[in-house]
């Protein structure tokens, strides 16, 4: 929006995306698009590229990035392990749908 206000022009973002591991667990994109997925798998992941940029610019250290990843993974694992014992509060859901 700042660009639009300043230059009085619109911006068009041409974004190309890909799924690194295919559409789902049954899909093997390396079979249907071998050349494209060879190029994709040779690229670094976006999180790795961003982490390297943060280290290079002195925003974070490599150890801080390792700690962030470790803490995030620990949080995700904890939540995943709680799935079987979680009981949603159905009363709240029904009440919010009525109101």
């Amino acid at each position: 929006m700042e660009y639009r206000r300043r230059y009085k022009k619109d911006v068009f973002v041409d974004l190309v995306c890909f799924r690194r591991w295919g559409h789902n667990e049954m899909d093997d994109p390396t079979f249907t698009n071998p050349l494209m997925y060879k190029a994709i798998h040779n690229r670094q992941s976006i999180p790795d590229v961003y982490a390297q940029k943060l280290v290079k610019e002195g925003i974070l250290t490599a150890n801080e990035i390792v700690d962030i990843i470790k803490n995030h993974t620990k949080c995700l694992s904890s939540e995943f392990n709680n799935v079987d014992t979680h009981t949603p509060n159905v009363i709240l859901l029904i009440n919010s749908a009525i109101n």
Side-chain angles (χ1 to χ4, degrees):
M1 293 307 291
E2 179 62 31
Y3 179 91
R4 193 171 185 192
R5 278 192 290 271
R6 183 174 181 176
Y7 298 104
K8 311 263 189 281
K9 294 181 179 181
D10 290 329
V11 175
F12 179 80
V13 177
D14 187 7
L15 185 63
V16 177
C17 299
F18 60 87
R19 295 176 187 226
R20 182 176 285 270
W21 306 114
H23 294 286
N24 59 53
E25 57 277 347
M26 298 299 291
D27 182 30
D28 183 2
T30 60
F31 180 74
T32 54
N33 294 301
L35 295 177
M36 180 172 67
Y37 273 86
K38 181 178 181 183
I40 289 170
H41 289 300
N42 286 335
R43 294 176 58 112
Q44 285 187 294
S45 71
I46 300 299
D48 289 343
V49 171
Y50 187 56
Q52 289 173 2
K53 177 180 172 68
L54 293 174
V55 170
K56 184 178 179 182
E57 293 179 3
I59 296 170
L60 292 174
T61 67
N63 288 337
E64 288 171 322
I65 290 172
V66 168
D67 288 342
I68 290 168
I69 294 168
K70 192 184 307 179
N71 289 333
H72 184 66
T73 302
K74 183 178 174 182
C75 176
L76 291 174
S77 294
S78 172
E79 294 300 317
F80 179 76
N81 291 333
N82 291 330
V83 167
D84 290 334
T85 59
H86 177 71
T87 305
N89 192 342
V90 177
I91 295 168
L92 287 177
L93 294 173
I94 292 171
N95 285 341
S96 65
I98 293 170
N99 295 329

